[in-house]
């Protein structure tokens, strides 16, 4: 694989590092959604982002790390946490968007296969937690803590366990589909748990 | 592999079919816990249960089906649903036992690898749902419905979603261990959701 970055860009000046990084992440996320982990290679990301493999390895220690940062980047707009001031509205719209992402886009298959592969691949497991699930969990905890600060939820709730009862419950239906992932399910999850946390 | 059943047993008479079936299931469950799916074979189960492979194939269509029925059999006593009459007590003791099983015995690794393998093995996925997760889910739903019948929970609850918010939340921490599986976690899950369902 040639260093695609240099020939085509040198004449017009180098892209700023931030832009290169952003284009690599977008290319990585999109490639993962199209091909899954099975078809994901550093070479393909490099070619699509017009960057060198050396540049990629400078920023990401492994293929899995790049894939997960890319995935986080491309799903982040869909999974943004709204902040309307009402926790039930915000959790419901976020969780409904999450259900649609898992059910109606290639993201569901990609994420279930990443979790599966992480069970027997310790390096991927660490990358998954550090680069995807950990940061996503933190966003959920922040949203719940904002609601506590506003007095919408009790001060003594354990936000971490609520993350498992909302998003974790959806991952459970994704991975073990005894029951369907639906909008109603998302709404019921929020209703069940928020009633008890007020 | 010789037909181990016939030579050693014929003199003392055949075992009743129910007993053979029970011994096969126990052998299968124990073998799975010791060796995981990687080392699980029909031959080894046949040898340990002193049964023929033909007998096993008469009752189970595949290795995965046998493994999952065996697993259900050996974990059933640990995961029994107590029925003291109080739903919080019953769910808490069941869920604490489940957390210990996942965290402190080989069952956690076995179940996470079965769920992982099921993501890319459709036959195993069907066996897992039909022979393990579906029947276990039904036991949880029954326990919740008993509590509704006793007036301990609202009549309009959706028991299926509660299963995902209790056991599903534990599977989530098993598969994506950002946060630890603890007794406190199990108690908090029950507390969070039951407050809202009364």
């Amino acid at each position: 694989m040639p260093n695609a970055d240099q020939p085509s860009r040198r004449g017009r000046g180098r892209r700023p590092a931030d832009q290169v990084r952003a284009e690599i992440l977008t290319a990585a996320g999109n490639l993962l959604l199209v091909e899954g982990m099975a078809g994901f290679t550093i070479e393909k990301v490099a070619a699509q982002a017009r960057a060198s493999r050396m540049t990629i390895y400078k920023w990401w220690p492994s293929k899995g790390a790049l894939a997960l940062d890319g995935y986080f980047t491309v799903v982040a707009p869909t999974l943004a946490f709204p902040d309307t001031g009402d926790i039930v509205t915000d959790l419901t719209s976020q969780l409904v968007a999450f259900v649609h992402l898992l059910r109606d886009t290639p993201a569901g298959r990609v994420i279930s296969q990443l979790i599966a592969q992480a069970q027997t691949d310790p390096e991927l497991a660490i990358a998954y937690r550090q680069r995807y699930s950990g940061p996503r969990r933190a966003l959920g905890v922040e949203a719940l803590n904002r609601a506590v600060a506003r007095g919408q939820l009790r001060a003594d709730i354990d936000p971490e366990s609520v993350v498992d009862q909302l998003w974790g419950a959806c991952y459970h239906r994704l991975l073990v589909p005894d029951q369907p992932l639906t909008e109603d399910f998302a709404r019921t999850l929020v209703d069940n748990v928020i009633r008890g946390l007020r």
Side-chain angles (χ1 to χ4, degrees), chain A:
Chain A
M1 182 72 52
N3 181 334
D5 196 13
Q6 305 303 323
S8 62
R9 307 298 300 179
R10 188 175 282 147
R12 291 177 276 152
R14 281 170 177 276
R15 291 169 288 177
D18 280 1
Q19 186 189 336
V20 175
R21 191 179 162 88
E23 290 182 24
I24 291 169
L25 286 170
T26 303
N30 289 334
L31 181 64
L32 185 67
L33 288 180
V34 172
E35 307 226 358
M37 241 354 237
F40 186 93
T41 65
I42 299 266
E43 285 74 9
K44 287 183 196 166
V45 176
Q48 285 190 17
R50 295 163 300 126
S52 71
R53 290 200 303 168
M54 196 184 297
T55 299
I56 291 178
Y57 278 116
K58 194 174 68 187
W59 284 324
W60 290 277
S62 68
K63 189 174 85 161
L66 174 61
L68 286 158
D69 280 2
Y71 182 79
F72 194 107
T73 302
V74 299
V75 301
T78 306
L79 299 185
F81 275 80
D83 188 9
T84 66
D86 178 62
I87 188 64
V88 171
T89 303
D90 290 352
L91 287 178
T92 302
S93 64
Q94 208 284 339
L95 214 60
V96 164
F98 181 55
V99 161
H100 280 297
L101 182 82
L102 293 184
R103 192 189 65 183
D104 305 329
T105 80
R109 187 181 49 86
V110 165
I111 209 82
S112 64
Q113 294 190 358
L114 284 168
I115 294 173
Q117 199 176 328
Q119 303 311 309
T120 49
D121 179 340
E123 191 180 38
L124 182 66
I126 290 169
Y128 186 87
R129 277 151 51 195
Q130 288 183 343
R131 292 165 187 273
Y132 185 70
S133 61
R136 293 263 15 136
R137 176 180 276 276
L139 292 172
V141 168
E142 272 171 36
L144 291 162
N145 282 336
R146 282 198 301 271
V148 169
R150 277 187 210 120
Q152 297 177 335
L153 301 179
R154 295 199 319 272
D156 66 345
I157 68 161
D158 172 34
E160 295 288 356
S161 66
V162 179
V163 169
D164 295 287
Q165 290 187 296
L166 295 177
W167 295 276
C170 294
Y171 280 116
H172 184 235
R173 289 207 175 180
L174 174 73
L175 295 163
V176 184
D178 289 311
Q179 292 285 319
L181 267 171
T182 63
E183 282 200 17
D184 271 357
F185 176 61
R187 292 177 200 284
T188 302
L189 293 177
V190 175
D191 189 56
N192 284 351
V193 82
I194 294 298
R195 278 176 190 250
L197 302 179
R198 286 196 189 276

